Amino acid sequence: MVAKQSGRNRGGGGGGTAAATEVSVEELARVPLQAILLADSFATKFHPITLERPKVLLPLVNVPMIDYTLAWLESAGVEEVFVFCCAHAKQVAEHLENSQWFAQPNFSVTAIESNNAVGAGDALRLIYEQNVIRGDFVLVSGDTVSNMSLAEALGEHKERRRKDSNAIMTMVITQSKTSPTTRQSRLGTDELFMAIDPDTKQLLYYEDKSDKGTVSLDKTLLSDHPSIYLHNDKQDCYIDICSPEVLSTFADNFDYQHLRRHFLKGLLDDDIMGYKIFTHEIQSNYAARIDNFRSYDTVSKDIIQRWTYPLVPDVQFFGNSSTKLDRQGMYRASVVGQSRSAQVGPFTVIGSGTTIGSQSQISNSVVGEGCKIGANVSIEGCYIWHNVTIEDGCQLKHAIVCDGVVIKSGVILEPGVVLSYKVVVGQQFIVPAYSKVSLYQQPIKQDSDEELEYADSSTGFMDASSLSGLPDKLKEESTIQLSESQLQAASEVGSGGVGFIWSTSEGSHEEEWRHSVAPIPPAKLLEIMHTSNNELEVVQQDGNLPPSGELERDSVTANSNDYDDDDVDVKDDYEFFENEVEATFKRALEENIKEDDVILEVNSLRLSYNLATADCSGALFYSMMKSALSAPHPSPSDLVKNAATVITKWKKLLKYYLPSIDEEIEVILKFEEMCLESAKEYSTVFVQILHLLYDKDIIQEEAILNWASEKEGADETDKLFVKQAEKFIQWLNEASEEED
Amino acid sequence: MDFQVVVLAGGFSKTLVPLVSKEVPKALLPVANRPVLSYVLELLEQNNLKDLIVVVESESAALLIGGWISSAYVDRLHVEVAAVPEEIGTAGALRAIDHHLTASDILVVSGDLVCDVPPGVVAATHRRHDAVVTAMLCSNPVSGSTESGSSGVKDKAKKRYNIIGLDPTKQFLLHVAAGVEVEKDVRVQKSILRAVGQMDIRADLMDAHMYAFKRSVLQEVLNQKEAFQSLRRDVLPYLVRSQLRSELLLNGVQSEENGNDKDASQNPKIVLSQLLANASTPSFHELHALGPNGFSLSPRKTHKCCVYIASNSNYCVRLNTIQAFSDINRDVIGDASHLSGYSFSAQNNIIDPSAVLGSKTTVGPQCMLGEGSQMGDKCSVKKSVIGRHCRIGSNVKIVNSIVMNHVTIGDGCSIQGSVVCSNVQLLERVVLKDCQVGAGFVVTAGSEHKGESLAKKEK
């Protein structure tokens, strides 16, 4: 504040127009450094815990995450912070009030609350409307742990800005080691590909979620930049130094929500206003964002191993109780009741007021305040928050245990388990790996991309009243809901247990091990390695990079199935389509669905598989014949009868898909194919069925004659059925002649 | 050194018409009054690479070139001249002389290269990394930018030659786009990015067409991929593309069966032992081969593609366009005079003692006048090369041009930024600006030409 005022005074003092620009630049520099802290990550990675508490208040080595971010901002010279809270806004605001952040000199913290923001874009638009940002600002999320100095990055940013007013953002990146097998960094984030100009550090390309095998850079990039570095070894710290234009860009593009996926991509791809983004790489400092459980684990370990100094447990940076560092990275609060026979291993933090029973072993873990750990308990790689009770003989491995959880005796937590607030696990229960247990039932999965991380506070979730005494009023129905749920839940986590095990849907289960606190099991690693090996092959087979025409031709000879692959794809598509049509038809049979509805469904299938009408008629006919086949048919004549009934019944449906002769021929061809391959039973009664189709006016004689003439030039083997139908065709021919 | 050198001398290149004619194949085009091929041959000779195979497209060109080599390099070099059919491409040419290749490594040099980068360093890089291929890269040539008043044909558009991806140490070639691919979007395989972490993509480097190949690999690729025509467009990209998933190994067994010497890179065990022996930091290839955490179900097969990047102080240009022809001639008697092998006079020019100059005729710096040439009075020559036995009249101005041998130039002619081939007659008062005049052509008196290509009709 002081600095700002002196700046103002000077600005006022400098009068002349010649000096005006200089002064304004100077004044720009004198504006107190501001920061926007997003206390909502607009994601669901920390469900179910974040149903009850906002992510930024979750304890990281016994200190709420947001305190790390604020402490860093303060030490880095930020003078004004706007904390944007959305989900559980009240809890965040309350936390800020109770902390000493409001009382710091030269550091003002303002909370901005909103109830309806669904993404970072909304947040920034709201802040833009409030008109509080006056100059360059730091944009971070409330789950950032860092000890970097902003001075250098800020200096670079301002320097660039002076030369080029389009340089509106500087992104902080750092070196990371991506595992080639899991394709993700140690923070559990997806692999990131960036292209950066090595001279100017301008960011040219950013891709963090893609299944494509290649990175594709626009050709124009290379004409502007003679050299481009493509990085797979860098990590985005999600610390951005922005100019006010960033806010106005968000305001102008109201569809922008995600900072990276929308804003960054929009700027890079669409070249909005010619704005440019630059990067600043930090070398020795620490910066990481806690995006998921795995990064929670990684960052916790980094803190314990003091990479984040001075933000470490034994330095009192925000009034955490005095903790002392022992040998081997062991931190112990002053008041710990530890049995003599209990063993506390290296890299472990024990909070104050915690008691540990005899023969218990704790290693590589964080235990919060006021926990009661019984005897013969083994805890390895776990994060146990506050006031947790663990009874005798439990075994915990790589789990997160939230406040107030009670784990009854003999319970085993397999790796990757998350127990949300106040869950009770019944005696001897084994919680399966990667399961998440909460007092709340799993909400119905929404497919929406912009899912809110936290349940809206207005829905009045029951809250852990003991801890922070949340003001949310309980609604009556929720109480009932809970008591009901408690009854149901009892069975899910053992006798006497309380809580629901959240089921993971098929798709996300695959990701479960990626983002879990548990280390990736070796079996999984091997598996991925296998697939990645294969993928490598696939990637290269697809080639994507035939440098010249000759090569392409050649690659056909090299992997002779290169082109066939395409065919296979199409065929597969058709097969899928056929299966779906068959299923639809079966359902129609069973549930007596009206023809119109079937038509509607088949049409939508056709559109989604991008196929022609002829394919529909073929597939539909196929399904009909199949269904006729599936009905009991002791003799071929019964089969014909079955077919006749089906065809008669669904004639209208089939007819709908036979607008012209071509489709009718397609049906005959399809039938022929069936007789040869999938339904050989029909081969004996081919002519009869053909006749039937003719009788029922499904296939006109013209189609049959065309089919016959088409087949004339074919191989003898292909003519099998034409020969069978010879008489019939002859008859048709004669009949048509007579008509003439 | 166990290197066999193959010089691809080309044939009668169509792009260089009218400079190239039935009598003068591309390799014999004069650069500072010496065939361009001599620059490569002498460079190789300096590096003690004296066993050469010169591959020439078409028999007639082979005869011409063979004749010249045997007269010029008798006793100095051991050269075999091999004729191959026309239009079979560089890969095709190598395929055709397959049976001549015996050494464990092959150095392939383009015969139109004028450069001062010793091939020895390319060979050394190749050996050091035990690479399957090592390519030399140089900066894109800056064409026609030196002097004002130079030809207008120049600076068409900024032409890009190659797009090249390098590892951070600038030793390995990770990505290469040549030919038509250059003008498209750059697509880089993620798999290789994952293995390397960082890739430097450059558009300012040119493939100089000097490669070191491991012979067994080269032969294998040429035999397996019959459609490959060009080393630069097909073979090199193929090797680069497949370096982390080498297919060569599968066939390595074959080459062993054929009784060929075993290739170290084709045996993972040997690679590993080498790795341990060297105790140097393993390259990403080896790390990738070993898989994450140093274990892998089956070691992945990899091979290395290396580069040697010539420094900017080196001169390295290929004579493959008319523009390049002019540029090289200008540079060899100008900025890159060390290449010419001549000693310059105090005026920074070379005038053969047998040349005759008329009164008030001036020959400026960075000029060359061949033996037996005569010039009349009041002539002026600037930044030009004049060949042997030319007869030049009076009041002739020659600027930024190349005049080959036995050319007759009438009085009062003005020649600017042009190339005049051998046995041409320019009658009086001809004005040429940015023209090429094919061999034996007669330019009528008083005619003016600008930016034209003049040549006799092909019979």
Side-chain angles (χ1 to χ4, degrees), chain A residues 400-427:
Chain A
I400 291 181
V401 180
C402 296
D403 293 357
V405 168
V406 176
I407 300 173
K408 298 265 174 74
S409 59
V411 167
I412 295 172
L413 299 191
E414 288 185 350
V417 167
V418 175
L419 300 181
S420 187
Y421 291 94
K422 306 190 97 169
V423 161
V424 179
V425 183
Q427 274 182 22

Side-chain angles (χ1 to χ4, degrees), chain A residues 222-223 225-227, chain B residues 113-114 136-145 155 157-164 177-178 182-183 201-209 232 309-318 320 324 327 330-331:
Chain A
L222 267 173
S223 49
H225 306 271
S227 171
Chain B
L113 189 67
V114 177
M136 186 174 89
L137 304 175
C138 59
S139 312
N140 274 344
V142 207
S143 82
S145 60
D155 302 324
K158 214 174 134 194
K159 198 184 169 216
R160 281 189 283 146
Y161 293 84
N162 286 101
I163 290 174
I164 281 163
V182 175
E183 298 305 323
I201 295 180
R202 305 276 293 264
D204 57 348
L205 291 174
M206 187 186 76
D207 184 342
H209 227 294
R232 187 169 62 88
I309 302 175
S311 76
N312 277 335
S313 59
N314 283 64
Y315 187 80
C316 187
V317 184
R318 286 183 62 197
N320 46 11
D327 291 342
R330 184 193 63 222
D331 292 338

Side-chain angles (χ1 to χ4, degrees), chain A residues 40-335:
Chain A
D40 191 335
S41 62
F42 306 103
T44 56
K45 296 256 175 64
F46 274 82
H47 262 175
I49 301 175
T50 46
L51 281 178
E52 294 163 67
R53 294 214 94 189
K55 179 171 146 195
V56 293
L57 294 188
L58 302 185
L60 183 69
V61 195
N62 295 339
V63 175
M65 287 183 198
I66 195 170
D67 287 348
Y68 286 91
T69 316
L70 286 170
W72 161 63
L73 288 175
E74 190 208 4
S75 67
V78 174
E79 289 163 79
E80 242 184 303
V81 180
F82 298 96
V83 179
F84 182 88
C85 351
C86 180
H88 303 294
K90 292 234 161 53
Q91 286 190 46
V92 178
E94 203 162 300
H95 172 81
L96 292 175
E97 267 164 42
N98 293 339
S99 68
Q100 78 284 45
W101 291 119
F102 284 148
Q104 297 288 324
N106 294 330
F107 188 65
S108 86
V109 177
T110 316
I112 296 174
E113 291 178 40
S114 161
N115 286 324
N116 50 11
V118 295
D122 286 338
L124 295 179
R125 278 185 281 274
L126 190 78
I127 292 170
Y128 177 73
E129 281 161 24
Q130 298 204 346
N131 228 348
V132 287
I133 298 296
R134 292 182 293 270
D136 291 347
F137 63 96
V138 183
L139 178 59
V140 290
S141 143
D143 45 17
T144 308
V145 176
S146 174
N147 58 5
M148 71 173 278
S149 139
L150 284 172
E152 200 188 333
L154 213 71
E156 277 178 23
H157 179 75
K158 285 198 193 307
E159 183 65 29
R160 265 196 294 266
R161 274 282 284 175
R162 203 161 42 231
K163 288 183 194 142
D164 181 358
S165 60
N166 280 335
I168 60 164
M169 188 163 126
T170 302
M171 250 171 70
V172 177
I173 56 170
T174 184
Q175 188 78 29
S176 89
K177 190 89 189 124
T178 333
S179 152
T181 43
T182 57
R183 311 269 176 74
Q184 56 171 200
S185 66
R186 53 196 280 276
L187 292 177
T189 45
D190 293 307
E191 63 174 351
L192 170 67
F193 290 96
M194 286 192 283
I196 296 170
D197 184 305
D199 301 322
T200 62
K201 305 287 175 214
Q202 189 185 344
L203 181 75
L204 305 170
Y205 181 82
Y206 188 98
E207 178 192 306
D208 65 345
K209 225 180 175 120
S210 168
D211 302 324
K212 281 185 289 180
T214 55
V215 171
S216 175
L217 298 179
D218 196 90
K219 59 180 182 240
T220 52
L221 282 182
L222 267 173
S223 49
D224 300 339
H225 306 271
S227 171
I228 294 176
Y229 278 177
L230 254 181
H231 290 283
N232 178 227
D233 56 350
K234 296 284 184 273
Q235 173 190 311
D236 190 347
C237 301
Y238 298 95
I239 298 169
D240 303 324
I241 295 162
C242 309
S243 298
E245 283 87 343
V246 172
L247 289 183
S248 53
T249 308
F250 268 101
D252 293 344
N253 297 277
F254 54 85
D255 54 333
Y256 282 7
Q257 282 299 357
H258 196 275
L259 271 176
R260 298 289 183 254
R261 242 169 277 155
H262 299 145
F263 173 70
L264 210 60
K265 231 176 160 40
L267 253 58
L268 291 176
D269 293 354
D270 305 339
D271 207 20
I272 295 169
M273 316 277 291
Y275 284 153
K276 292 173 190 156
I277 297 165
F278 292 84
T279 56
H280 171 79
E281 188 176 348
I282 50 171
Q283 304 291 349
S284 55
N285 287 324
Y286 189 87
R289 187 181 160 207
I290 296 155
D291 175 66
N292 50 46
F293 287 121
R294 182 172 301 283
S295 40
Y296 178 85
D297 175 57
T298 313
V299 175
S300 296
K301 291 203 164 101
D302 289 341
I303 292 171
I304 292 168
Q305 292 172 9
R306 309 179 79 77
W307 292 102
T308 59
Y309 189 86
L311 306 180
V312 291
D314 57 326
V315 176
Q316 288 191 18
F317 57 102
F318 22 60
N320 39 342
S321 65
S322 58
T323 304
K324 281 215 177 70
L325 175 62
D326 287 358
R327 285 170 292 119
Q328 292 186 303
M330 214 163 80
Y331 299 84
R332 217 189 299 244
S334 43
V335 210

Side-chain angles (χ1 to χ4, degrees), chain A residues 365-383:
Chain A
S365 299
V366 175
V367 181
E369 291 163 19
C371 294
K372 289 182 187 65
I373 297 169
N376 286 315
V377 172
S378 114
I379 297 174
E380 195 193 321
C382 291
Y383 297 91

Side-chain angles (χ1 to χ4, degrees), chain B residues 17 34 46 49 103 125 141 177 194 214 235 269 299 355 398 422:
Chain B
V17 171
R34 257 168 63 188
Q46 282 163 24
L49 292 162
T125 310
R194 279 183 201 115
K214 202 178 273 290
V235 177
K269 270 185 193 153
I398 301 174
S422 298

